Amino acid sequence: MSTREHHSTRKAAVSLLAAAGLALAGCGADEPETGTEVEDITEGEVAETSPPPDTGAAPMTPYGGAYNRQFYDDRAVYEGQDVTLSAEVEEVVSPSALTVGDPDDLTLDPLLVVHDLDVPDLQEGQTLEVVGMVQEGFEVAAAEEQLGVDLEDALFEDHVGDPWLHATDATVTAEE
Protein backbone atom coordinates (compact mmCIF):
# COMPACT_ATOMS: atom_id res chain seq x y z
CA MET A 1 0.00 0.00 0.00
CA SER A 2 1.46 3.37 -0.98
CA THR A 3 1.77 6.25 1.45
CA ARG A 4 -0.97 8.16 -0.40
CA GLU A 5 -3.41 5.23 -0.10
CA HIS A 6 -2.54 4.77 3.59
CA HIS A 7 -3.14 8.49 4.21
CA SER A 8 -6.52 8.38 2.41
CA THR A 9 -7.59 5.30 4.36
CA ARG A 10 -6.69 7.03 7.59
CA LYS A 11 -8.68 10.15 6.64
CA ALA A 12 -11.71 8.01 5.82
CA ALA A 13 -11.51 6.21 9.18
CA VAL A 14 -11.27 9.48 11.09
CA SER A 15 -14.24 10.90 9.15
CA LEU A 16 -16.35 7.81 9.91
CA LEU A 17 -15.53 8.04 13.63
CA ALA A 18 -16.44 11.74 13.70
CA ALA A 19 -19.77 11.09 11.92
CA ALA A 20 -20.60 8.24 14.31
CA GLY A 21 -19.88 10.48 17.29
CA LEU A 22 -22.19 13.20 15.96
CA ALA A 23 -24.94 10.66 15.31
CA LEU A 24 -24.70 9.34 18.87
CA ALA A 25 -24.67 12.86 20.31
CA GLY A 26 -27.99 13.53 18.58
CA CYS A 27 -29.65 10.47 20.11
CA GLY A 28 -32.18 11.36 22.74
CA ALA A 29 -32.22 15.07 21.83
CA ASP A 30 -36.03 14.98 21.57
CA GLU A 31 -36.44 13.78 25.16
CA PRO A 32 -37.22 16.38 27.85
CA GLU A 33 -34.39 17.21 30.22
CA THR A 34 -34.72 16.07 33.79
CA GLY A 35 -32.71 17.01 36.81
CA THR A 36 -32.48 19.49 39.63
CA GLU A 37 -32.93 23.19 39.11
CA VAL A 38 -30.68 25.70 40.83
CA GLU A 39 -33.71 27.15 42.62
CA ASP A 40 -34.42 23.72 44.12
CA ILE A 41 -31.00 23.63 45.68
CA THR A 42 -30.87 27.16 47.07
CA GLU A 43 -34.34 27.23 48.62
CA GLY A 44 -33.17 25.45 51.81
CA GLU A 45 -31.06 26.90 54.60
CA VAL A 46 -27.31 26.90 54.20
CA ALA A 47 -25.46 25.36 57.11
CA GLU A 48 -22.19 26.99 58.10
CA THR A 49 -19.26 24.71 58.66
CA SER A 50 -17.30 25.00 61.86
CA PRO A 51 -13.57 25.59 61.80
CA PRO A 52 -11.49 22.57 62.75
CA PRO A 53 -10.99 22.21 66.49
CA ASP A 54 -7.82 23.69 67.97
CA THR A 55 -5.85 20.76 69.30
CA GLY A 56 -3.09 22.95 70.71
CA ALA A 57 -0.52 21.05 68.65
CA ALA A 58 2.10 22.95 66.71
CA PRO A 59 1.45 23.14 62.98
CA MET A 60 3.09 20.35 61.01
CA THR A 61 6.11 21.16 58.92
CA PRO A 62 5.77 20.18 55.28
CA TYR A 63 8.51 17.56 55.64
CA GLY A 64 9.66 15.70 58.69
CA GLY A 65 12.04 12.81 58.19
CA ALA A 66 15.44 11.67 57.09
CA TYR A 67 17.73 13.65 54.85
CA ASN A 68 17.81 11.11 52.04
CA ARG A 69 17.65 10.82 48.26
CA GLN A 70 13.87 11.34 48.18
CA PHE A 71 14.10 14.59 50.16
CA TYR A 72 17.06 15.77 48.08
CA ASP A 73 15.24 15.10 44.81
CA ASP A 74 12.06 16.82 46.08
CA ARG A 75 13.76 19.72 47.88
CA ALA A 76 12.50 22.33 45.38
CA VAL A 77 8.97 21.52 46.61
CA TYR A 78 10.02 22.58 50.12
CA GLU A 79 11.98 25.70 49.14
CA GLY A 80 11.11 28.59 51.44
CA GLN A 81 9.39 26.28 53.94
CA ASP A 82 10.47 24.94 57.31
CA VAL A 83 11.32 21.25 57.40
CA THR A 84 12.57 18.88 60.09
CA LEU A 85 15.46 16.68 59.02
CA SER A 86 17.24 13.84 60.72
CA ALA A 87 20.76 13.52 59.37
CA GLU A 88 24.34 12.69 60.21
CA VAL A 89 26.96 15.42 60.60
CA GLU A 90 29.46 14.97 57.79
CA GLU A 91 31.65 18.01 58.36
CA VAL A 92 31.75 20.92 60.79
CA VAL A 93 32.60 23.81 58.46
CA SER A 94 32.62 26.56 61.10
CA PRO A 95 30.95 27.33 64.45
CA SER A 96 27.91 28.51 62.42
CA ALA A 97 27.84 25.89 59.66
CA LEU A 98 28.04 22.19 59.00
CA THR A 99 27.13 19.70 56.33
CA VAL A 100 24.82 16.75 56.88
CA GLY A 101 24.33 13.61 54.88
CA ASP A 102 22.87 10.13 54.75
CA PRO A 103 25.35 7.47 55.93
CA ASP A 104 23.42 4.86 53.94
CA ASP A 105 23.80 6.76 50.63
CA LEU A 106 27.35 7.95 50.08
CA THR A 107 26.44 9.22 46.59
CA LEU A 108 24.01 11.79 48.06
CA ASP A 109 25.37 15.34 48.06
CA PRO A 110 25.73 16.73 51.58
CA LEU A 111 23.40 19.54 52.61
CA LEU A 112 24.89 22.74 54.00
CA VAL A 113 23.26 23.83 57.26
CA VAL A 114 23.94 27.40 58.43
CA HIS A 115 22.74 28.64 61.81
CA ASP A 116 23.13 31.23 64.53
CA LEU A 117 22.33 28.74 67.29
CA ASP A 118 24.22 27.97 70.45
CA VAL A 119 24.88 24.33 69.58
CA PRO A 120 27.41 22.45 71.68
CA ASP A 121 30.54 21.18 69.99
CA LEU A 122 29.26 19.20 67.04
CA GLN A 123 31.32 16.32 65.77
CA GLU A 124 31.33 14.29 62.59
CA GLY A 125 29.18 11.18 62.85
CA GLN A 126 26.64 12.62 65.30
CA THR A 127 23.00 12.38 64.31
CA LEU A 128 21.02 15.61 64.43
CA GLU A 129 17.44 16.61 64.19
CA VAL A 130 17.51 20.02 62.57
CA VAL A 131 14.63 22.36 61.81
CA GLY A 132 15.07 25.07 59.24
CA MET A 133 14.07 26.74 56.01
CA VAL A 134 15.11 25.10 52.74
CA GLN A 135 16.86 27.53 50.42
CA GLU A 136 18.48 27.28 47.01
CA GLY A 137 21.63 28.97 45.75
CA PHE A 138 23.84 29.59 48.80
CA GLU A 139 25.61 32.94 48.75
CA VAL A 140 27.89 33.90 51.66
CA ALA A 141 26.91 37.59 51.85
CA ALA A 142 23.17 36.84 51.72
CA ALA A 143 23.47 34.16 54.41
CA GLU A 144 25.50 36.49 56.64
CA GLU A 145 22.86 39.19 56.34
CA GLN A 146 19.98 36.77 56.86
CA LEU A 147 21.47 35.13 59.95
CA GLY A 148 23.45 38.04 61.38
CA VAL A 149 26.66 36.01 61.49
CA ASP A 150 30.11 36.50 60.00
CA LEU A 151 31.15 33.60 57.77
CA GLU A 152 34.67 33.13 56.47
CA ASP A 153 34.26 33.26 52.69
CA ALA A 154 37.08 30.82 51.95
CA LEU A 155 35.40 28.04 53.97
CA PHE A 156 32.26 28.23 51.81
CA GLU A 157 33.74 28.42 48.29
CA ASP A 158 32.68 24.82 47.56
CA HIS A 159 29.09 25.53 48.67
CA VAL A 160 28.29 28.66 46.65
CA GLY A 161 25.18 28.04 44.56
CA ASP A 162 24.27 24.82 46.41
CA PRO A 163 21.00 24.17 48.26
CA TRP A 164 21.18 24.89 51.98
CA LEU A 165 19.18 24.97 55.18
CA HIS A 166 18.82 28.05 57.40
CA ALA A 167 18.56 26.21 60.72
CA THR A 168 16.38 27.59 63.50
CA ASP A 169 16.77 24.62 65.85
CA ALA A 170 19.11 21.67 66.15
CA THR A 171 19.33 18.81 68.61
CA VAL A 172 21.91 16.04 68.80
CA THR A 173 19.89 12.81 68.84
CA ALA A 174 22.70 10.24 68.74
CA GLU A 175 26.43 10.21 69.29
CA GLU A 176 28.89 8.68 66.86
Side-chain angles (χ1 to χ4, degrees):
M1 180 182 283
S2 72
T3 304
R4 181 175 289 231
E5 289 173 347
H6 181 66
H7 186 66
S8 296
T9 304
R10 218 169 153 182
K11 272 186 169 178
V14 169
S15 297
L16 280 174
L17 285 174
L22 287 173
L24 287 175
C27 290
D30 296 338
E31 296 175 19
E33 292 184 25
T34 61
T36 306
E37 296 292 322
V38 173
E39 292 81 21
D40 295 339
I41 296 171
T42 59
E43 286 177 5
E45 289 184 32
V46 177
E48 290 188 33
T49 57
S50 302
D54 183 14
T55 61
M60 295 287 294
T61 57
Y63 180 85
Y67 174 66
N68 55 23
R69 175 72 53 198
Q70 181 179 352
F71 174 81
Y72 185 83
D73 291 345
D74 294 341
R75 74 185 181 282
V77 171
Y78 305 113
E79 185 176 348
Q81 299 180 41
D82 283 334
V83 297
T84 301
L85 296 175
S86 175
E88 185 175 287
V89 176
E90 283 197 1
E91 177 187 5
V92 177
V93 179
S94 76
S96 298
L98 59 127
T99 60
V100 295
D102 179 357
D104 297 328
D105 185 354
L106 300 177
T107 64
L108 180 63
D109 289 335
L111 179 66
L112 178 65
V113 177
V114 184
H115 60 86
D116 61 351
L117 305 170
D118 185 22
V119 181
D121 294 327
L122 293 174
Q123 297 173 13
E124 293 176 13
Q126 289 177 316
T127 302
L128 290 180
E129 181 174 278
V130 62
V131 177
M133 184 180 295
V134 177
Q135 303 197 25
E136 292 291 326
F138 178 77
E139 295 295 330
V140 175
E144 288 176 328
E145 184 177 320
Q146 189 174 358
L147 281 88
V149 296
D150 185 28
L151 303 172
E152 191 174 328
D153 292 13
L155 296 175
F156 296 91
E157 288 176 352
D158 292 341
H159 301 288
V160 172
D162 290 346
W164 64 291
L165 189 73
H166 170 185
T168 55
D169 190 26
T171 306
V172 175
T173 57
E175 296 294 324
E176 179 175 31

